[in-house]
């Protein structure tokens, strides 16, 4: 059987023609497939991407990530067309809290400040006081007066990490990332035995027992910064495995080992280079947010951007 290979150059060429024609900016999350990262105008973590979305003067934002990220871009730039290459690329964690549940929790804790992780729906952001990402969670929590109770949604692991770091009690929500929870303590121990010189860095969406084994904890771009700056030549990486591409690309002299062989986010993986092209060809799939929800959610996101 002859080997069938797809040449990506013609696809990239056409994407490049269309991005000019559509006046589009292509924003790409650090977990995306390598070939998508390579055509991005900007590649980054959730916080960096929301800053880019707020500041761009492009007509169209093509967001290669998952739905809450594209939705955040739309909330920050409501006058722009925001597209996703695949409308099914959602984040299961974002769907682990509903508006009704959050309102019930708020009623149980009158006067509490609601901090919501950016991995949440527009409706939940609209019902929250301030957003945070894994890059700025400590700053956001620190900005809230000590005597205020804090409800933290939806990620229990990030909330637990922040609470321990800040020495502060938070009302946690039982949401979690299925991908990061597949990174087990045993895997890290095995990798440390196999690579005794390596440092371990993990994402705060990991469980507490995994975080305890890490030399450093951070958002995807903080992981990248750590990898670039560390003296050691080997790093064990406890986050979604798409991250390994950028780490290796920007640090060709270092070795990176995934903490888990199964930490792939199926949602992030739904986007492909072909879908990016179709998206710009057909101007699909447009992300919309009802105006009133968007306006309230914008308040929570802008508060976060001011504080960080
Ligand atoms: P970052 O904000 O660190 O890029 O993470 C987003 C995410 O979805 C992690 O699973
Ligand atoms: Fe959501 Fe986890 Fe995928 Fe991040 S890695 S988008 S939190 S499911």
């Amino acid at each position: 059987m002859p080997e069938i290979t797809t040449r990506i150059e013609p696809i990239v060429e056409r994407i490049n023609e269309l991005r000019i024609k559509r006046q589009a900016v292509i924003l790409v999350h650090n977990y995306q497939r390598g070939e998508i990262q390579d055509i991005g105008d900007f590649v980054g973590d959730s916080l960096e991407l929301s800053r880019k979305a707020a500041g761009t003067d492009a007509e169209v934002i093509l967001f290669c990530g998952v739905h809450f990220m594209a939705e955040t871009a739309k909330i920050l730039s409501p006058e722009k067309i925001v597209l996703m290459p695949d409308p099914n690329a959602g984040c299961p964690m974002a769907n682990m809290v509903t508006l009704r549940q959050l309102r019930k929790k708020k009623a149980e804790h009158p006067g509490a400040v609601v901090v919501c992780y950016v991995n949440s729906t527009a409706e939940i952001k609209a019902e929250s006081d301030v957003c945070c990402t894994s890059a700025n969670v400590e700053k956001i929590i620190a900005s809230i007066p000590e005597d205020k109770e804090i409800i933290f949604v939806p990620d229990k692991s990030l909330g637990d990490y922040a609470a321990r770091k800040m020495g502060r009690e938070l009302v946690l929500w039982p949401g979690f990332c299925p991908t990061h929870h597949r990174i087990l303590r045993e895997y890290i121990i095995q990798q440390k035995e196999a690579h005794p010189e390596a440092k371990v860095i993990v994402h705060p969406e990991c469980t507490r027992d995994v975080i305890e084994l890490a030399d450093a904890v951070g958002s995807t771009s903080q992981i990248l910064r750590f990898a670039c700056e560390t003296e050691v030549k080997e790093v064990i990486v406890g986050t979604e495995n798409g991250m390994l591409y950028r780490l290796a690309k920007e640090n060709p002299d270092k070795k990176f080992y995934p903490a888990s062989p199964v930490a792939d986010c199926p949602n992030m993986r739904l986007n492909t280079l072909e879908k990016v092209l179709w998206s710009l060809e057909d101007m699909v799939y447009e992300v919309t947010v009802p105006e009133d929800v968007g306006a309230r959610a914008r308040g929570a996101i802008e508060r976060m951007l001011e504080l960080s």
Side-chain angles (χ1 to χ4, degrees):
M1 278 270 285
E3 201 182 317
I4 300 171
T5 52
T6 310
R7 282 187 56 231
I8 66 166
E9 293 83 353
I11 303 176
V12 173
E13 252 171 53
R14 185 71 187 131
I15 289 173
N16 288 339
E17 284 165 17
L18 282 168
R19 78 165 103 207
I20 296 169
K21 183 172 164 197
R22 306 286 193 213
Q23 295 186 50
V25 65
I26 303 180
L27 301 184
V28 180
H29 187 262
N30 285 323
Y31 292 159
Q32 290 287 285
R33 293 168 189 272
E35 62 269 26
I36 297 183
Q37 296 194 26
D38 289 345
I39 54 107
D41 290 299
F42 183 80
V43 185
D45 70 8
S46 305
L47 181 61
E48 293 168 333
L49 292 169
S50 54
R51 284 217 179 90
K52 286 283 164 191
T56 183
D57 52 13
E59 294 285 311
V60 174
I61 299 173
L62 174 54
F63 211 114
C64 302
V66 290
H67 188 265
F68 77 81
M69 296 177 179
E71 198 175 52
T72 302
K74 181 67 185 177
I75 292 166
L76 287 168
S77 288
E79 72 296 347
K80 303 207 185 296
I81 296 173
V82 178
L83 303 175
M84 288 179 74
D86 188 318
N88 297 313
C91 169
M93 183 207 285
N95 298 325
M96 289 182 189
V97 53
T98 66
L99 189 56
R100 226 176 98 222
Q101 290 169 326
L102 178 55
R103 284 188 175 153
K104 185 163 174 272
K105 187 57 82 183
K106 284 173 74 170
E108 288 164 14
H109 296 270
V113 175
V114 179
V115 178
C116 95
Y117 189 24
V118 74
N119 296 37
S120 53
T121 62
E123 267 189 337
I124 294 297
K125 289 184 177 78
E127 194 67 21
S128 300
D129 296 292
V130 61
C131 282
C132 75
T133 75
S134 51
N136 61 19
V137 62
E138 291 160 52
K139 262 191 198 150
I140 303 300
I141 303 281
S143 74
I144 300 165
E146 289 282 345
D147 59 341
K148 282 275 178 195
E149 199 176 16
I150 299 174
I151 300 172
F152 190 91
V153 290
D155 188 7
K156 188 170 108 188
S157 297
L158 178 65
D160 176 58
Y161 168 73
R164 279 180 294 125
K165 207 71 211 282
M166 313 290 302
R168 195 152 172 184
E169 216 173 289
L170 306 180
V171 178
L172 299 178
W173 194 263
F176 66 97
C177 165
T179 299
H180 283 83
H181 279 213
R182 281 199 293 274
I183 299 170
L184 305 181
R185 188 177 168 90
E186 298 76 60
Y187 292 146
I188 309 251
I189 293 169
Q190 277 167 19
Q191 287 288 41
K192 275 170 77 123
E193 277 166 11
H195 312 287
E197 303 296 320
K199 288 250 191 252
V200 179
I201 180 156
V202 306
H203 197 279
E205 287 178 13
C206 290
T207 52
R208 185 196 282 206
D209 61 341
V210 165
I211 290 177
E212 277 166 3
L213 294 176
D215 296 297
V217 183
S219 77
T220 55
S221 286
Q222 288 168 339
I223 289 175
L224 178 71
R225 223 162 297 135
F226 174 88
C228 295
E229 287 167 9
T230 183
E231 301 280 286
V232 299
K233 294 286 177 207
E234 294 177 294
V235 184
I236 297 163
V237 184
T239 192
E240 205 279 331
N241 287 337
M243 190 69 219
L244 276 281
Y245 177 80
R246 186 159 180 210
L247 289 171
K249 184 176 167 183
E250 297 197 17
N251 299 277
D253 59 326
K254 294 182 182 170
K255 285 203 170 112
F256 299 97
Y257 308 110
S260 161
V262 290
D264 293 296
C265 174
N267 309 287
M268 284 283 177
R269 224 47 82 235
L270 283 176
N271 296 327
T272 62
L273 209 53
E274 286 85 349
K275 289 181 192 171
V276 171
L277 171 56
W278 298 333
S279 187
L280 286 172
E281 289 271 15
D282 298 343
M283 294 295 282
V284 290
Y285 293 89
E286 192 168 351
V287 176
T288 57
V289 179
E291 231 176 87
D292 55 326
V293 176
R296 284 186 295 129
R298 196 172 315 123
I301 303 168
E302 283 179 348
R303 230 158 281 138
M304 165 185 83
L305 294 175
E306 278 159 27
L307 287 167
S308 51

